[in-house]
Amino acid sequence: MKSKAVRLLEPRRPLVDAEVDAASPGPGEVLVRVRAAGICHSDAHYRAGVGSTNRPLTPGHEVAGIVDSVGSGVTTHRAGDRVCLHYLVTCGTCSDCRAGREQFCATGQMIGKDRDGGYAEVVRVPARNAHPLPDFVPFEQGAILMCSSATALHALRKARVGAGDTVAVFGIGGLGVSAIQLARALGASAVYAVDVNPAKLALAQRHRAIPVDARAADPVQAIRAATGGRGVDAALELIGFARTMEQSVEVLAPQGRAALAGLTQERMSISPYRDVLNREAEIIGVSDHLASEIGELMTFVQRGDLDLAGAVTRVVPLDAATINGVLDDLEAFRDDVRTVIRP
Ligand SMILES: [Zn+2]
Ligand SMILES: [Zn+2]
């Protein structure tokens, strides 16, 4: 079977339209007909040659669709099942996998980075990566749940956000719009949403976050002023700028936790005494998320705690020129919160 795909042949070059052989699912695998694939800022990084990827590659790690066929030995899935894909393919048996740190699996592969992903009509994955997608979650939302929402939840868990905590979220993109809602669902008493884009600040406000316009004032001073000088218990950096990472540390209250999830190779600079030691602050790295967090996410969606209806702002066809344009927009930090491909 031939499948249409949009592929990365070499870094720093536009993605191209291609036809690929869609092999039937092997033992333990499922072939999924893609109904929605999110276009993520990470994909712009891969196209730009930041982070090593397999090549040629079909990008796309935010995928939801319908099971087309199953390989031998698969009893958990049937053709026609609605699924969304956990993007980390791990061995399940190494010490990291067994300890629940599967993102560090030595032989782990990321769909859409190390192996072909969802910028295609079909994608082949191990059956255990295909999680049930409830009927009440549209495919477009199911796709973005699998990256931005799942990673936002993981960041909040790493920052140990709980009842009564105050939280600052730097960057109201795909992750941020989930993070502000999930922070409330986890019991945060106030969520400050920092961005420079008026549309994103307005979206944050609609989700009951307190908008902080970083163009109008220094966000650290603004949040300190709003919290009586104390700062916040947890800060999430979801952009990938050294400056906002520094701010996410500077804005912490005593024993506050800064969780850094934005990707950058810049170096950050903080004052160890003032910002970390003196406050017993913690700086925590966030890498991906866990399969176990996906079921939890669906529960938040089901309860109405996580509404992504406003998060998917654009739907585009499986077409290289259009997708390259979306990646250009992401690189330039233009308005779109999330664009999804519908093959
Ligand atoms: Zn992503
Ligand atoms: Zn492993």
Side-chain angles (χ1 to χ4, degrees), residues 3-336:
S3 158
K4 212 181 137 194
V6 168
R7 308 200 85 199
L8 175 68
L9 302 185
E10 49 183 324
R12 295 176 292 280
R13 299 285 303 155
L15 305 184
V16 297
D17 289 307
E19 240 194 18
V20 293
D21 284 318
S24 354
E29 291 182 332
V30 293
L31 187 71
V32 174
R33 194 154 286 283
V34 178
R35 286 301 183 86
I39 303 180
C40 182
H41 208 129
S42 305
D43 299 332
H45 289 301
Y46 304 151
R47 187 185 63 166
V50 178
S52 63
T53 56
N54 187 35
R55 283 189 305 273
L57 172 77
T58 304
H61 56 271
E62 308 181 357
V63 187
I66 293 176
V67 174
D68 177 273
S69 49
V70 305
S72 64
V74 175
T75 55
T76 47
H77 296 72
R78 284 196 303 195
D81 285 354
R82 298 174 95 250
V83 291
C84 49
L85 306 187
H86 177 44
Y87 64 57
L88 290 175
V89 177
T90 54
C91 76
T93 56
C94 72
S95 58
D96 282 317
C97 280
R98 279 185 287 120
R101 302 185 291 257
E102 72 219 36
Q103 27 349 10
F104 308 111
C105 174
T107 57
Q109 289 188 319
M110 181 170 165
I111 294 169
K113 180 172 186 283
D114 306 309
R115 55 186 284 156
D116 285 342
Y119 286 16
E121 290 172 323
V122 293
V123 59
R124 194 167 46 89
V125 293
R128 62 197 182 88
N129 280 71
H131 291 251
L133 180 67
D135 286 336
F136 58 85
V137 185
F139 288 111
E140 288 78 12
Q141 295 178 31
I144 61 172
L145 274 171
M146 302 311 287
C147 175
S148 35
S149 305
T151 305
L153 178 61
H154 189 61
L156 290 161
R157 290 290 189 213
K158 294 291 292 181
R160 308 193 299 281
V161 170
D165 281 346
T166 50
V167 178
V169 176
F170 288 81
I172 310 305
L175 275 86
V177 76
S178 291
I180 55 180
Q181 297 179 64
L182 291 168
R184 295 302 292 252
L186 294 173
S189 59
V191 181
Y192 298 90
V194 184
D195 209 292
V196 294
N197 180 315
K200 292 179 179 180
L201 290 166
L203 177 64
Q205 198 163 16
R206 282 202 295 282
H207 286 298
R208 299 188 304 143
I210 302 155
V212 177
D213 185 347
R215 291 165 312 170
D218 175 67
V220 175
Q221 282 175 15
I223 292 170
R224 285 215 176 271
T227 53
R230 186 173 176 273
V232 291
D233 299 302
L236 269 54
E237 203 284 346
L238 309 177
I239 309 168
F241 286 150
R243 185 64 199 120
T244 40
M245 292 195 171
E246 290 158 4
Q247 289 169 337
S248 72
V249 178
E250 291 164 3
V251 78
L252 294 177
Q255 296 191 335
R257 290 86 60 195
L260 311 184
L263 305 181
T264 179
Q265 294 181 342
E266 295 174 2
R267 302 185 76 82
M268 63 186 278
S269 165
I270 50 167
S271 165
Y273 176 69
R274 186 195 64 186
D275 297 327
V276 182
L277 287 68
N278 193 38
R279 296 191 188 124
E280 291 197 342
E282 294 173 58
I283 301 171
I284 302 167
V286 179
S287 182
D288 298 317
H289 54 269
L290 305 169
S292 60
E293 286 163 334
I294 290 164
E296 203 181 346
L297 264 184
M298 293 302 172
T299 308
F300 285 122
V301 176
Q302 189 158 21
R303 280 196 215 137
D305 288 334
L306 179 60
D307 172 13
L308 295 174
V312 178
T313 46
R314 198 176 160 203
V315 175
V316 297
L318 182 64
D319 170 70
T322 312
I323 293 168
N324 281 311
V326 175
L327 293 171
D328 294 343
D329 285 347
L330 283 169
E331 279 175 343
F333 290 95
R334 283 193 271 268
D335 267 7
D336 279 315

